[in-house]
Amino acid sequence: MDILAQLSTEHEYLRALLAHIESAAEAGDVAALTQSLEQAHNALATELDAHIATEEAETFAAIASALGDDLVAPFRADHAEIRATRDEVYERLGRGEAPFEASQRLCALLLSHQLREDLMLFPSAREAVSS
């Protein structure tokens, strides 16, 4: 499996977890949100950080080399915002708060970011590499 396919597969896995978080946050269900966030903790912490590191070190570097830094700059900025929002969600959860709005914001950021990567950035990278 090439790296772009692997990253897209990881996106799909995370989207499934985000659906539960988003649903619980929208419903204002404290117990369901807490459970969803706890179940997704490893995926949103260790696994997401590894995913981002791979994207930035391997994928973004190659894309920037072929197509220019301007193309990947917004995606790098997304990563910083996603991490900060994720940290806010888990800090609030750790204080016993129900981070409804922050969780919704995190889901929206991740879903938008993944969609733009899967539909625009990754196909551009494949095209640039093949030509």
Side-chain angles (χ1 to χ4, degrees):
M1 175 186 323
D2 71 36
I3 190 69
L4 297 177
Q6 175 189 331
L7 293 170
S8 290
T9 298
E10 291 172 5
H11 288 172
E12 290 174 24
Y13 169 73
L14 190 56
R15 275 194 292 272
L17 296 173
L18 294 174
H20 296 289
I21 294 167
E22 188 173 39
S23 176
E26 287 175 356
D29 187 332
V30 175
L33 179 61
T34 300
Q35 180 181 18
S36 295
L37 287 169
E38 287 174 354
Q39 288 176 341
H41 185 263
N42 190 54
L44 287 170
T46 306
E47 292 174 17
L48 181 60
D49 287 344
H51 176 92
I52 288 171
T54 298
E55 281 185 344
E56 291 187 355
E58 295 182 34
T59 309
F60 290 5
I63 294 169
S65 175
L67 301 172
D69 286 324
D70 291 345
L71 185 62
V72 296
F75 294 93
R76 289 184 196 277
D78 286 354
H79 286 167
E81 187 175 6
I82 287 166
R83 284 183 178 132
T85 305
R86 180 227 21 226
D87 293 347
E88 176 188 348
V89 165
Y90 283 102
E91 285 172 14
R92 288 181 176 202
L93 190 65
R95 292 192 305 257
E97 299 174 19
F100 296 121
E101 290 178 20
S103 295
Q104 288 176 308
R105 188 170 62 252
L106 177 62
C107 290
L109 286 168
L110 278 164
L111 293 170
S112 171
H113 176 81
Q114 290 177 343
L115 187 65
R116 290 186 348 267
E117 283 182 338
D118 289 337
L119 296 180
M120 192 263 309
L121 186 65
F122 294 170
S124 296
R126 280 189 182 90
E127 192 173 303
V129 168
S130 67
S131 57

